[in-house]
Amino acid sequence: MPTLSRRQFLRQMPFVSGLSPAEASGWEENAQTAAFTLNGTLTPYTGPWTRAQATHLLKRVSFGARKDQVDQLLNAGSADAAVDMVLDIPATLPPPPVNNYNSADFTDPQVPPGLPWINAAPNFDNGTEGFRIESWRGWWLNRMIDSAPDIREKMTLFWHNHFATQVSSVFIGRATYLYNQRLREYALGNFKDLVKAVTLEPMMLYYLNGFLNDKTAPDENYSRELQELFTIGKDNPDHYTEDDVVAAARVLTGWRVNFFNSAVYFDVNVLNPSGVTICGAGRGRARTWGATAPVASTIASTSPVSSEPAPGGWVSNRPWSRPRRNTPKKVSPRASADSSPAG
């Protein structure tokens, strides 16, 4: 099936969308209308490249449009070059948050002022863990406020909302930070790889009970959310069944978290011992996994899910619609899947 890369999509995005009448006047009649069609194509944008379009692109891919960053995009010389710029995200992740919360009324007993707290063991005395989480919150807000003119932080927030967790339920600063960095690391990566990484993050294992999932009492919490909300979508019930939810829970048994350092490890003693089939006949590519290695638990639910066009469409609809228009317009699953970003 035809695919559409992220660069192709943004290059062909209708830059007139979302601009004020004053900004759009004088060039709208020259811009080609970008229409999403069932064969998975967008009409390439060939209109002018002025401050209005540079501002619009920057607002779509980041959290604002500072003058110096608008100038950077404008000086790129064309929409194509500007799109390359906003998709050229740094290879390194930002440094971690530090202890910026010590005061006359509180002192972190494990972390000196100005040093990262992310490797300290959880501490629930005197509100220590709460201070660390608030430090992370401010750190992340600063990442968004002072972000470079690229799409990384916007996509980090997007995936944060898609693979939702709850800080108040887990309340471990290190797990919260690691999860946020993982979303940032995979912000523009392969979706299947992202799902695998999220599955084994301590934050997600805690939040949806993956760390309690074992052969004697398979916990379906994560396997249900994985298929209903994270990958296939609740609007596609024909592509998975209750049996698939139960089966995925069995395949994902065995993962545990070290409370003191948030390290994830695999305990083969609690792995489901028998073969499991997910997405059976008539519902995609049926796959059966045994209990021979922990890698089975990593791959299990994601491989069959991502092989079906309609589930892919449910996922790709979300990032496609948000940068394109202020009010997202639902696209048919087949059209969206056929044009979902490659990689």
Side-chain angles (χ1 to χ4, degrees):
M1 64 178 64
T3 60
L4 186 71
S5 72
R6 299 178 183 87
R7 280 180 168 79
Q8 288 172 324
F9 168 69
L10 284 175
R11 284 169 177 165
Q12 296 167 174
M13 186 172 70
F15 288 98
V16 64
S17 173
L19 295 182
S20 68
E23 291 173 319
S25 64
W27 63 270
E28 181 174 332
E29 64 275 9
N30 298 320
Q32 298 184 25
T33 301
F36 209 101
T37 61
L38 290 179
N39 65 1
T41 63
L42 286 167
T43 304
Y45 175 77
T46 58
W49 182 244
T50 69
R51 183 169 295 276
Q53 290 81 53
T55 300
H56 177 67
L57 175 61
L58 195 56
K59 287 181 177 179
R60 289 302 197 202
V61 302
S62 65
F63 296 95
R66 299 204 318 250
K67 181 182 182 302
D68 61 320
Q69 295 182 345
V70 173
D71 289 341
Q72 280 183 266
L73 265 61
L74 186 60
N75 292 336
S78 68
D80 278 5
V83 166
D84 284 338
M85 182 179 295
V86 300
L87 291 177
D88 185 20
I89 64 175
T92 57
L93 296 173
V98 300
N99 178 352
N100 58 358
Y101 44 81
N102 274 12
S103 67
D105 300 319
F106 174 81
T107 298
D108 189 319
Q110 298 161 277
V111 182
L115 294 182
W117 48 260
I118 61 167
N119 292 320
N123 189 326
F124 300 101
D125 295 334
N126 302 318
T128 300
E129 208 61 26
F131 279 108
R132 292 172 182 174
I133 289 172
E134 287 306 310
S135 170
W136 161 78
R137 232 180 229 123
W139 172 86
W140 186 19
L141 285 173
N142 282 333
R143 302 282 74 72
M144 291 187 271
I145 293 170
D146 297 328
S147 64
D150 61 50
I151 200 171
R152 183 166 74 175
E153 290 304 320
K154 196 70 168 281
M155 288 305 299
T156 301
L157 178 61
F158 172 82
W159 292 124
H160 168 84
N161 291 328
H162 182 79
F163 295 101
T165 57
Q166 191 171 23
V167 171
S168 60
S169 295
V170 178
F171 214 71
I172 298 176
R174 174 171 168 78
T176 302
Y177 161 77
L178 291 174
Y179 188 67
N180 183 261
Q181 282 285 58
R182 186 71 70 196
L183 297 177
R184 184 173 289 105
E185 178 184 358
Y186 286 90
L188 292 184
N190 179 276
F191 180 69
K192 188 186 294 186
D193 292 340
L194 172 60
V195 174
K196 293 175 185 177
V198 165
T199 298
L200 297 185
E201 270 299 303
M203 185 73 173
M204 186 61 78
L205 286 169
Y206 278 134
Y207 181 59
L208 291 180
N209 299 339
F211 77 112
L212 299 174
N213 192 15
D214 65 47
K215 62 184 179 183
T216 60
D219 191 298
E220 300 167 12
N221 203 358
Y222 180 73
S223 66
R224 188 176 304 279
E225 301 294 274
L226 174 67
Q227 295 175 75
E228 182 177 294
L229 299 179
F230 298 162
T231 55
I232 299 176
K234 61 183 179 181
D235 294 333
N236 294 293
D238 293 340
H239 292 272
Y240 72 98
T241 67
E242 185 67 19
D243 289 342
D244 293 323
V245 172
V246 174
R250 291 168 59 196
V251 174
L252 291 168
T253 53
W255 295 104
R256 296 292 181 261
V257 184
N258 183 315
F259 173 78
F260 296 100
N261 61 12
S262 293
V264 175
Y265 63 96
F266 187 78
D267 184 355
V268 70
N269 295 313
V270 294
L271 174 66
N272 185 83
S274 59
V276 176
T277 299
I278 302 177
C279 292
R283 300 195 307 279
R285 301 180 182 179
R287 292 284 300 278
T288 300
W289 288 269
T292 57
V295 69
S297 296
T298 311
I299 299 171
S301 299
T302 58
S303 293
V305 161
S306 59
S307 67
E308 299 185 44
W314 183 84
V315 173
S316 61
N317 240 315
R318 304 191 70 193
W320 176 84
S321 61
R322 295 192 180 191
R324 183 176 183 266
R325 54 192 297 130
N326 292 323
T327 303
K329 177 182 178 182
K330 191 172 183 179
V331 181
S332 72
R334 170 63 67 178
S336 188
D338 286 354
S339 57
S340 58

